[in-house]
Amino acid sequence: MLPYLDLKKINNKYELEFRNKFDSFIESGWYILGKEVEIFEKSFAEYLQVKNVLGVANGLDALVLVFKGYLSLGKLKIGDKVLVPANTYIASILAIELAGLVPVLIEPNIHSFNLSVDEITQNINSEVKAILIVHLYGQISEIDKIKEFSVSKNIILVEDCAQAHGAEFNKIKAGVWGHAGAFSFYPGKNLGALGDGGAISTNDDELFEKLQYLRNYGSKIKYQNDEKGLNSRLDEIQASFLNIKLKDLDNQNNIRIELAKIITSNVSNPLIRLPTFQNNGSHVYHIFAVLSENREKLKEYLNQKDIATMIHYPIPPHKQQAFKELNNLTFPITEKIHLQELSLPVNPSISVDQCLELCKVLNKYK
Ligand SMILES: Cc1ncc(COP(=O)(O)O)c(C=O)c1O
Protein backbone atom coordinates (compact mmCIF):
# COMPACT_ATOMS: atom_id res chain seq x y z
CA MET A 1 0.00 0.00 0.00
CA LEU A 2 1.31 3.47 -0.84
CA PRO A 3 0.71 5.29 2.46
CA TYR A 4 -0.83 8.75 2.41
CA LEU A 5 2.11 10.21 4.36
CA ASP A 6 5.02 8.15 5.67
CA LEU A 7 6.40 10.35 8.44
CA LYS A 8 9.00 7.84 9.53
CA LYS A 9 10.45 7.93 6.03
CA ILE A 10 10.37 11.73 5.91
CA ASN A 11 12.16 12.01 9.26
CA ASN A 12 14.62 9.21 8.58
CA LYS A 13 17.18 11.48 6.94
CA TYR A 14 17.50 13.59 10.10
CA GLU A 15 17.64 10.68 12.54
CA LEU A 16 21.32 10.88 13.44
CA GLU A 17 21.12 14.65 14.01
CA PHE A 18 17.95 14.18 16.10
CA ARG A 19 19.73 11.63 18.29
CA ASN A 20 22.73 13.91 18.79
CA LYS A 21 20.45 16.82 19.72
CA PHE A 22 18.53 14.61 22.09
CA ASP A 23 21.76 13.61 23.86
CA SER A 24 22.76 17.28 24.29
CA PHE A 25 19.24 18.08 25.50
CA ILE A 26 19.48 15.42 28.24
CA GLU A 27 22.95 16.67 29.15
CA SER A 28 21.80 20.29 29.35
CA GLY A 29 19.17 19.77 32.06
CA TRP A 30 17.24 22.76 30.64
CA TYR A 31 13.77 21.84 29.28
CA ILE A 32 11.63 24.96 28.79
CA LEU A 33 12.41 28.19 26.88
CA GLY A 34 16.11 27.64 26.48
CA LYS A 35 18.65 28.32 23.79
CA GLU A 36 17.12 25.99 21.17
CA VAL A 37 13.84 27.94 21.27
CA GLU A 38 15.81 31.18 20.98
CA ILE A 39 17.81 29.86 18.03
CA PHE A 40 14.64 28.65 16.33
CA GLU A 41 12.87 31.97 16.81
CA LYS A 42 15.81 33.84 15.29
CA SER A 43 16.32 31.38 12.42
CA PHE A 44 12.65 31.19 11.49
CA ALA A 45 12.41 35.02 11.58
CA GLU A 46 15.41 35.18 9.25
CA TYR A 47 13.91 32.52 6.98
CA LEU A 48 10.59 34.37 6.76
CA GLN A 49 12.24 37.82 6.63
CA VAL A 50 10.10 39.09 9.48
CA LYS A 51 11.17 41.06 12.57
CA ASN A 52 9.84 38.74 15.26
CA VAL A 53 9.00 35.07 15.76
CA LEU A 54 7.69 33.62 19.00
CA GLY A 55 7.57 29.87 19.64
CA VAL A 56 4.33 28.60 21.18
CA ALA A 57 2.78 25.23 22.01
CA ASN A 58 0.75 24.62 18.82
CA GLY A 59 -0.98 26.29 15.86
CA LEU A 60 -4.30 26.75 17.63
CA ASP A 61 -2.64 28.62 20.50
CA ALA A 62 -0.67 30.73 18.01
CA LEU A 63 -3.97 32.03 16.60
CA VAL A 64 -5.63 32.45 20.01
CA LEU A 65 -2.60 34.37 21.30
CA VAL A 66 -2.56 36.78 18.34
CA PHE A 67 -6.21 37.65 18.97
CA LYS A 68 -5.68 37.87 22.73
CA GLY A 69 -2.70 40.12 22.10
CA TYR A 70 -4.76 42.56 20.07
CA LEU A 71 -7.55 42.42 22.69
CA SER A 72 -5.02 43.25 25.36
CA LEU A 73 -3.63 46.13 23.29
CA GLY A 74 -7.19 47.49 22.92
CA LYS A 75 -7.12 47.07 19.13
CA LEU A 76 -9.92 44.48 19.31
CA LYS A 77 -12.85 44.21 21.75
CA ILE A 78 -14.66 41.11 23.02
CA GLY A 79 -17.50 40.41 20.58
CA ASP A 80 -15.81 41.98 17.54
CA LYS A 81 -16.43 40.09 14.31
CA VAL A 82 -13.73 38.30 12.35
CA LEU A 83 -14.13 37.13 8.74
CA VAL A 84 -12.89 33.58 8.19
CA PRO A 85 -13.25 31.10 5.30
CA ALA A 86 -16.08 28.60 5.86
CA ASN A 87 -14.00 25.73 4.41
CA THR A 88 -11.05 26.02 6.79
CA TYR A 89 -9.89 23.44 9.31
CA ILE A 90 -11.93 23.89 12.48
CA ALA A 91 -8.96 25.31 14.46
CA SER A 92 -9.18 28.69 12.69
CA ILE A 93 -12.79 29.15 13.78
CA LEU A 94 -12.24 27.75 17.28
CA ALA A 95 -9.38 30.20 17.83
CA ILE A 96 -11.60 33.19 17.09
CA GLU A 97 -14.21 31.97 19.57
CA LEU A 98 -11.68 30.96 22.23
CA ALA A 99 -10.39 34.54 22.18
CA GLY A 100 -13.92 35.90 22.77
CA LEU A 101 -14.46 37.14 19.21
CA VAL A 102 -17.22 36.21 16.76
CA PRO A 103 -16.40 34.26 13.58
CA VAL A 104 -18.23 35.31 10.42
CA LEU A 105 -17.92 32.46 7.94
CA ILE A 106 -17.63 33.32 4.26
CA GLU A 107 -17.28 31.33 1.06
CA PRO A 108 -13.89 30.61 -0.55
CA ASN A 109 -13.03 30.75 -4.21
CA ILE A 110 -13.66 27.26 -5.67
CA HIS A 111 -10.37 27.31 -7.62
CA SER A 112 -7.92 28.50 -4.98
CA PHE A 113 -9.94 27.19 -1.97
CA ASN A 114 -8.95 30.54 -0.39
CA LEU A 115 -10.75 33.80 0.31
CA SER A 116 -10.94 36.31 -2.53
CA VAL A 117 -10.98 40.07 -2.09
CA ASP A 118 -14.42 40.17 -3.79
CA GLU A 119 -15.95 37.84 -1.20
CA ILE A 120 -14.32 39.84 1.61
CA THR A 121 -15.61 43.13 0.18
CA GLN A 122 -19.16 41.75 0.01
CA ASN A 123 -19.10 40.72 3.66
CA ILE A 124 -17.47 43.69 5.25
CA ASN A 125 -19.39 45.96 7.64
CA SER A 126 -18.59 48.21 10.59
CA GLU A 127 -18.71 45.29 13.06
CA VAL A 128 -15.92 43.40 11.29
CA LYS A 129 -12.60 44.31 12.90
CA ALA A 130 -10.33 41.57 11.61
CA ILE A 131 -9.85 39.09 8.78
CA LEU A 132 -8.34 35.66 9.35
CA ILE A 133 -7.12 34.38 6.01
CA VAL A 134 -6.07 30.75 5.74
CA HIS A 135 -3.50 29.64 3.16
CA LEU A 136 -5.35 26.37 2.83
CA TYR A 137 -3.60 23.29 1.39
CA GLY A 138 -0.40 25.37 1.17
CA GLN A 139 -1.48 28.05 -1.29
CA ILE A 140 -1.20 31.79 -0.80
CA SER A 141 -3.43 33.75 -3.18
CA GLU A 142 -4.66 37.33 -3.78
CA ILE A 143 -2.82 38.35 -0.64
CA ASP A 144 -1.59 41.62 -2.19
CA LYS A 145 -5.17 42.74 -2.86
CA ILE A 146 -6.42 41.48 0.51
CA LYS A 147 -3.65 43.34 2.30
CA GLU A 148 -4.41 46.54 0.36
CA PHE A 149 -8.08 46.17 1.27
CA SER A 150 -7.38 45.58 4.98
CA VAL A 151 -5.07 48.61 5.11
CA SER A 152 -7.68 50.80 3.40
CA LYS A 153 -10.32 49.73 5.97
CA ASN A 154 -7.93 49.78 8.91
CA ILE A 155 -8.76 46.16 9.72
CA ILE A 156 -6.44 43.69 11.41
CA LEU A 157 -5.20 40.99 9.04
CA VAL A 158 -4.11 37.68 10.52
CA GLU A 159 -2.71 34.80 8.46
CA ASP A 160 -3.30 31.17 9.35
CA CYS A 161 -0.09 29.67 7.93
CA ALA A 162 -0.50 26.20 9.48
CA GLN A 163 -0.38 24.63 6.01
CA ALA A 164 1.86 27.09 4.17
CA HIS A 165 5.41 27.15 5.59
CA GLY A 166 7.62 28.74 2.97
CA ALA A 167 4.88 29.65 0.47
CA GLU A 168 5.47 33.08 -1.00
CA PHE A 169 3.67 35.67 -3.07
CA ASN A 170 5.73 38.29 -4.94
CA LYS A 171 8.75 36.96 -2.99
CA ILE A 172 7.14 37.78 0.39
CA LYS A 173 6.48 34.73 2.54
CA ALA A 174 3.23 33.63 4.14
CA GLY A 175 3.21 35.02 7.67
CA VAL A 176 4.73 38.37 6.70
CA TRP A 177 1.82 39.96 4.85
CA GLY A 178 -0.57 40.43 7.74
CA HIS A 179 -0.23 41.98 11.20
CA ALA A 180 0.69 38.47 12.35
CA GLY A 181 0.98 34.91 11.07
CA ALA A 182 0.27 31.71 13.00
CA PHE A 183 2.16 28.48 12.26
CA SER A 184 1.64 24.89 13.35
CA PHE A 185 4.48 22.36 13.52
CA TYR A 186 2.19 19.36 13.95
CA PRO A 187 4.26 16.38 12.66
CA GLY A 188 2.53 16.11 9.27
CA LYS A 189 3.09 19.76 8.31
CA ASN A 190 5.66 20.83 5.68
CA LEU A 191 7.79 21.86 8.66
CA GLY A 192 6.78 19.33 11.29
CA ALA A 193 8.12 18.66 14.77
CA LEU A 194 8.12 15.25 16.50
CA GLY A 195 5.17 16.35 18.59
CA ASP A 196 3.14 19.55 18.89
CA GLY A 197 4.58 22.98 18.26
CA GLY A 198 3.65 26.38 16.88
CA ALA A 199 4.91 29.90 16.24
CA ILE A 200 3.75 33.45 15.66
CA SER A 201 5.43 35.78 13.16
CA THR A 202 4.95 39.54 13.30
CA ASN A 203 6.49 42.86 12.33
CA ASP A 204 4.35 44.51 15.03
CA ASP A 205 6.77 45.09 17.95
CA GLU A 206 3.97 46.12 20.30
CA LEU A 207 2.15 42.84 19.69
CA PHE A 208 5.37 40.85 20.02
CA GLU A 209 6.13 42.44 23.37
CA LYS A 210 2.65 41.48 24.68
CA LEU A 211 2.86 37.95 23.32
CA GLN A 212 6.16 37.25 25.00
CA TYR A 213 4.44 37.20 28.35
CA LEU A 214 0.92 36.19 27.26
CA ARG A 215 2.41 32.81 26.21
CA ASN A 216 3.91 32.45 29.69
CA TYR A 217 1.01 32.97 32.14
CA GLY A 218 1.02 36.71 31.47
CA SER A 219 4.20 36.99 33.48
CA LYS A 220 7.27 39.07 32.68
CA ILE A 221 8.88 38.55 36.05
CA LYS A 222 8.55 35.09 37.61
CA TYR A 223 5.44 34.83 39.85
CA GLN A 224 4.35 38.36 38.95
CA ASN A 225 1.35 38.15 36.60
CA ASP A 226 0.36 41.31 34.77
CA GLU A 227 -2.25 39.64 32.53
CA LYS A 228 -4.32 36.47 32.31
CA GLY A 229 -2.04 34.56 29.98
CA LEU A 230 -1.73 31.01 28.72
CA ASN A 231 0.82 28.30 29.27
CA SER A 232 1.82 27.98 25.63
CA ARG A 233 5.52 27.59 25.05
CA LEU A 234 7.34 25.78 22.28
CA ASP A 235 9.12 22.81 23.87
CA GLU A 236 12.90 23.05 23.93
CA ILE A 237 13.27 19.54 22.50
CA GLN A 238 10.82 20.26 19.66
CA ALA A 239 12.67 23.50 18.89
CA SER A 240 15.91 21.54 18.61
CA PHE A 241 14.32 19.15 16.08
CA LEU A 242 12.83 22.09 14.18
CA ASN A 243 16.25 23.76 14.00
CA ILE A 244 17.48 20.71 12.10
CA LYS A 245 14.47 20.50 9.80
CA LEU A 246 14.18 24.22 9.04
CA LYS A 247 17.45 24.07 7.05
CA ASP A 248 15.81 21.52 4.76
CA LEU A 249 12.38 23.16 4.42
CA ASP A 250 12.92 24.72 0.97
CA ASN A 251 14.30 21.42 -0.31
CA GLN A 252 11.26 19.53 1.05
CA ASN A 253 8.89 22.10 -0.46
CA ASN A 254 10.70 21.83 -3.80
CA ILE A 255 10.17 18.07 -3.81
CA ARG A 256 6.44 18.65 -3.25
CA ILE A 257 6.39 21.24 -6.05
CA GLU A 258 8.22 18.89 -8.47
CA LEU A 259 5.77 16.07 -7.72
CA ALA A 260 2.82 18.43 -8.17
CA LYS A 261 4.28 19.44 -11.54
CA ILE A 262 4.55 15.79 -12.60
CA ILE A 263 0.91 15.11 -11.72
CA THR A 264 -0.50 18.28 -13.25
CA SER A 265 1.37 17.72 -16.50
CA ASN A 266 0.69 13.98 -16.79
CA VAL A 267 -2.86 13.54 -15.58
CA SER A 268 -5.70 14.50 -17.88
CA ASN A 269 -8.83 12.81 -16.72
CA PRO A 270 -12.01 14.92 -16.97
CA LEU A 271 -13.38 13.09 -13.91
CA ILE A 272 -10.63 14.54 -11.70
CA ARG A 273 -10.16 18.28 -11.23
CA LEU A 274 -6.51 18.98 -10.38
CA PRO A 275 -5.17 22.11 -8.69
CA THR A 276 -3.53 24.43 -11.24
CA PHE A 277 0.24 24.16 -11.12
CA GLN A 278 1.91 27.26 -9.63
CA ASN A 279 5.61 27.50 -10.35
CA ASN A 280 6.18 30.82 -8.57
CA GLY A 281 6.38 29.40 -5.04
CA SER A 282 2.86 30.52 -4.12
CA HIS A 283 1.78 26.89 -3.53
CA VAL A 284 3.83 24.50 -1.39
CA TYR A 285 1.35 21.62 -1.85
CA HIS A 286 0.95 20.70 1.81
CA ILE A 287 -2.18 18.93 0.63
CA PHE A 288 -2.59 17.92 -3.01
CA ALA A 289 -6.35 18.40 -3.22
CA VAL A 290 -8.36 17.22 -6.20
CA LEU A 291 -12.11 17.43 -6.71
CA SER A 292 -14.19 14.64 -8.14
CA GLU A 293 -17.98 14.43 -8.40
CA ASN A 294 -18.05 10.87 -7.16
CA ARG A 295 -15.30 11.22 -4.56
CA GLU A 296 -16.13 7.98 -2.75
CA LYS A 297 -15.84 5.98 -5.99
CA LEU A 298 -12.44 7.53 -6.76
CA LYS A 299 -11.26 6.89 -3.20
CA GLU A 300 -12.34 3.25 -3.40
CA TYR A 301 -10.75 2.83 -6.86
CA LEU A 302 -7.40 4.13 -5.53
CA ASN A 303 -7.73 1.95 -2.45
CA GLN A 304 -8.17 -1.09 -4.71
CA LYS A 305 -4.94 -0.06 -6.43
CA ASP A 306 -3.18 0.10 -3.03
CA ILE A 307 -3.03 3.89 -2.92
CA ALA A 308 -4.07 5.56 0.34
CA THR A 309 -5.85 8.92 0.25
CA MET A 310 -7.40 11.29 2.78
CA ILE A 311 -10.22 13.82 2.85
CA HIS A 312 -9.60 17.39 3.99
CA TYR A 313 -12.21 17.66 5.36
CA PRO A 314 -15.27 15.41 5.37
CA ILE A 315 -17.53 17.73 7.43
CA PRO A 316 -17.45 21.53 7.07
CA PRO A 317 -17.16 23.45 10.37
CA HIS A 318 -20.72 24.85 10.13
CA LYS A 319 -22.13 21.30 9.96
CA GLN A 320 -20.14 20.02 12.94
CA GLN A 321 -21.93 19.09 16.19
CA ALA A 322 -19.51 21.39 18.00
CA PHE A 323 -20.96 24.37 16.14
CA LYS A 324 -24.68 23.58 16.54
CA GLU A 325 -25.48 27.30 16.38
CA LEU A 326 -24.12 27.40 12.80
CA ASN A 327 -25.79 24.19 11.60
CA ASN A 328 -28.62 25.96 9.76
CA LEU A 329 -26.26 28.08 7.65
CA THR A 330 -25.67 27.15 4.00
CA PHE A 331 -22.44 27.61 2.06
CA PRO A 332 -22.82 25.88 -1.33
CA ILE A 333 -19.18 26.25 -2.44
CA THR A 334 -17.83 25.06 0.89
CA GLU A 335 -20.25 22.14 0.98
CA LYS A 336 -19.28 21.14 -2.56
CA ILE A 337 -15.60 21.12 -1.57
CA HIS A 338 -16.29 18.95 1.46
CA LEU A 339 -18.29 16.55 -0.69
CA GLN A 340 -15.81 16.30 -3.59
CA GLU A 341 -12.33 16.84 -2.12
CA LEU A 342 -9.78 14.02 -2.11
CA SER A 343 -6.15 14.40 -0.99
CA LEU A 344 -3.58 12.39 -2.93
CA PRO A 345 -0.32 11.03 -1.45
CA VAL A 346 1.93 13.71 -2.97
CA ASN A 347 4.75 14.49 -0.53
CA PRO A 348 8.48 13.80 -0.04
CA SER A 349 7.78 10.25 1.18
CA ILE A 350 6.95 9.14 -2.39
CA SER A 351 9.44 8.68 -5.21
CA VAL A 352 9.19 10.09 -8.73
CA ASP A 353 8.50 6.55 -9.99
CA GLN A 354 5.65 6.12 -7.52
CA CYS A 355 4.32 9.50 -8.61
CA LEU A 356 4.43 8.50 -12.30
CA GLU A 357 2.63 5.26 -11.41
CA LEU A 358 0.00 7.30 -9.56
CA CYS A 359 -0.48 9.40 -12.73
CA LYS A 360 -1.12 6.24 -14.80
CA VAL A 361 -3.65 4.96 -12.28
CA LEU A 362 -5.44 8.32 -12.20
CA ASN A 363 -5.60 8.46 -16.00
CA LYS A 364 -7.21 5.01 -16.12
CA TYR A 365 -10.01 5.94 -13.72
CA LYS A 366 -13.43 5.81 -15.39
C1 LIG B 1 -5.49 25.56 8.83
C2 LIG B 1 -5.07 25.16 10.22
N1 LIG B 1 -5.11 26.05 11.21
C3 LIG B 1 -4.73 25.74 12.46
C4 LIG B 1 -4.31 24.48 12.78
C5 LIG B 1 -3.99 24.15 14.21
O1 LIG B 1 -2.70 23.69 14.41
P1 LIG B 1 -2.35 22.73 15.65
O2 LIG B 1 -2.89 21.38 15.34
O3 LIG B 1 -0.87 22.77 15.73
O4 LIG B 1 -2.98 23.33 16.85
C6 LIG B 1 -4.25 23.50 11.80
C7 LIG B 1 -3.80 22.14 12.12
O5 LIG B 1 -3.93 21.20 11.40
C8 LIG B 1 -4.64 23.84 10.46
O6 LIG B 1 -4.61 22.95 9.47
Side-chain angles (χ1 to χ4, degrees):
M1 187 80 167
L2 183 65
Y4 175 72
L5 175 64
D6 187 341
L7 278 180
K8 176 140 175 41
K9 203 166 168 185
I10 285 188
N11 284 324
N12 235 359
K13 68 185 285 197
Y14 318 108
E15 193 175 322
L16 195 64
E17 280 183 277
F18 285 163
R19 288 185 189 280
N20 288 338
K21 278 282 184 189
F22 189 72
D23 283 349
S24 332
F25 170 72
I26 298 281
E27 277 299 309
S28 78
W30 191 276
Y31 313 118
I32 305 265
L33 295 183
K35 77 172 188 338
E36 291 288 345
V37 170
E38 257 176 49
I39 292 170
F40 178 72
E41 290 173 341
K42 280 210 179 76
S43 318
F44 199 41
E46 204 168 295
Y47 173 80
L48 295 174
Q49 291 289 294
V50 72
K51 272 164 92 177
N52 312 293
V53 163
L54 192 79
V56 298
N58 54 62
L60 174 67
D61 281 6
L63 287 166
V64 172
L65 278 162
V66 168
F67 290 123
K68 279 191 176 285
Y70 279 122
L71 282 159
S72 173
L73 287 168
K75 297 194 174 168
L76 289 174
K77 292 192 312 302
I78 294 290
D80 279 348
K81 294 192 171 163
V82 182
L83 297 186
V84 60
N87 63 320
T88 185
Y89 178 57
I90 202 154
S92 327
I93 298 169
L94 278 173
I96 296 170
E97 284 209 356
L98 287 169
L101 303 165
V102 178
V104 177
L105 278 55
I106 61 175
E107 289 273 49
N109 174 291
I110 185 76
H111 297 289
S112 67
F113 303 109
N114 282 341
L115 288 188
S116 67
V117 78
D118 289 345
E119 194 65 30
I120 291 172
T121 311
Q122 280 164 35
N123 284 280
I124 209 79
N125 60 49
S126 60
E127 293 177 345
V128 174
K129 302 294 184 205
I131 304 170
L132 174 56
I133 47 162
V134 183
H135 307 307
L136 202 70
Y137 305 150
Q139 183 169 17
I140 173 168
S141 48
E142 279 195 45
I143 190 70
D144 50 348
K145 292 187 203 151
I146 295 172
K147 165 127 187 177
E148 199 180 303
F149 178 82
S150 69
V151 169
S152 76
K153 296 282 178 196
N154 199 18
I155 284 175
I156 288 172
L157 181 64
V158 181
E159 299 174 68
D160 182 336
C161 307
Q163 303 187 3
H165 315 73
E168 59 183 35
F169 195 94
N170 294 345
K171 307 268 178 232
I172 298 173
K173 292 227 159 42
V176 189
W177 285 88
H179 289 82
F183 290 84
S184 160
F185 305 122
Y186 182 79
K189 303 299 187 198
N190 287 25
L191 178 59
L194 274 67
D196 276 310
I200 297 163
S201 57
T202 184
N203 279 320
D204 182 343
D205 291 336
E206 223 186 347
L207 177 72
F208 181 61
E209 152 98 44
K210 273 270 171 223
L211 292 176
Q212 274 174 311
Y213 58 97
L214 278 178
R215 78 167 165 185
N216 191 22
Y217 289 109
S219 166
K220 258 189 205 165
I221 301 167
K222 207 166 170 68
Y223 303 129
Q224 184 178 312
N225 302 79
D226 302 325
E227 301 222 20
K228 293 171 187 149
L230 271 65
N231 171 2
S232 184
R233 303 167 296 219
L234 176 61
D235 264 352
E236 187 68 0
I237 187 67
Q238 297 305 339
S240 74
F241 296 147
L242 289 167
N243 281 326
I244 294 164
K245 291 186 75 178
L246 177 60
K247 295 187 207 121
D248 200 34
L249 173 59
D250 282 344
N251 175 41
Q252 295 287 303
N253 280 345
N254 286 336
I255 296 172
R256 289 174 182 271
I257 292 166
E258 275 309 306
L259 296 172
K261 190 174 177 182
I262 291 175
I263 303 215
T264 48
S265 48
N266 284 286
V267 176
S268 58
N269 184 334
L271 298 175
I272 303 167
R273 205 205 81 182
L274 302 170
T276 40
F277 180 67
Q278 312 285 352
N279 65 354
N280 55 2
S282 64
H283 201 329
V284 290
Y285 299 96
H286 171 59
I287 289 173
F288 193 91
V290 304
L291 296 184
S292 189
E293 258 178 47
N294 197 341
R295 189 248 323 270
E296 297 313 319
K297 186 176 159 203
L298 176 60
K299 188 170 175 49
E300 185 45 35
Y301 165 80
L302 291 170
N303 190 39
Q304 294 290 326
K305 304 279 179 196
D306 278 341
I307 296 168
T309 55
M310 280 188 76
I311 295 169
H312 295 95
Y313 300 90
I315 307 171
H318 69 284
K319 295 294 178 199
Q320 296 278 3
Q321 273 291 311
F323 282 111
K324 281 200 195 69
E325 67 281 16
L326 304 177
N327 284 177
N328 58 357
L329 296 177
T330 318
F331 295 102
I333 299 174
T334 295
E335 284 156 33
K336 181 176 166 181
I337 294 169
H338 286 78
L339 218 61
Q340 297 191 356
E341 195 276 344
L342 192 67
S343 308
L344 303 181
V346 180
N347 57 65
S349 68
I350 72 160
S351 66
V352 168
D353 283 348
Q354 284 171 319
C355 187
L356 288 167
E357 189 51 39
L358 174 62
C359 293
K360 279 191 203 149
V361 173
L362 290 169
N363 277 331
K364 284 189 192 145
Y365 173 67
K366 294 195 280 263

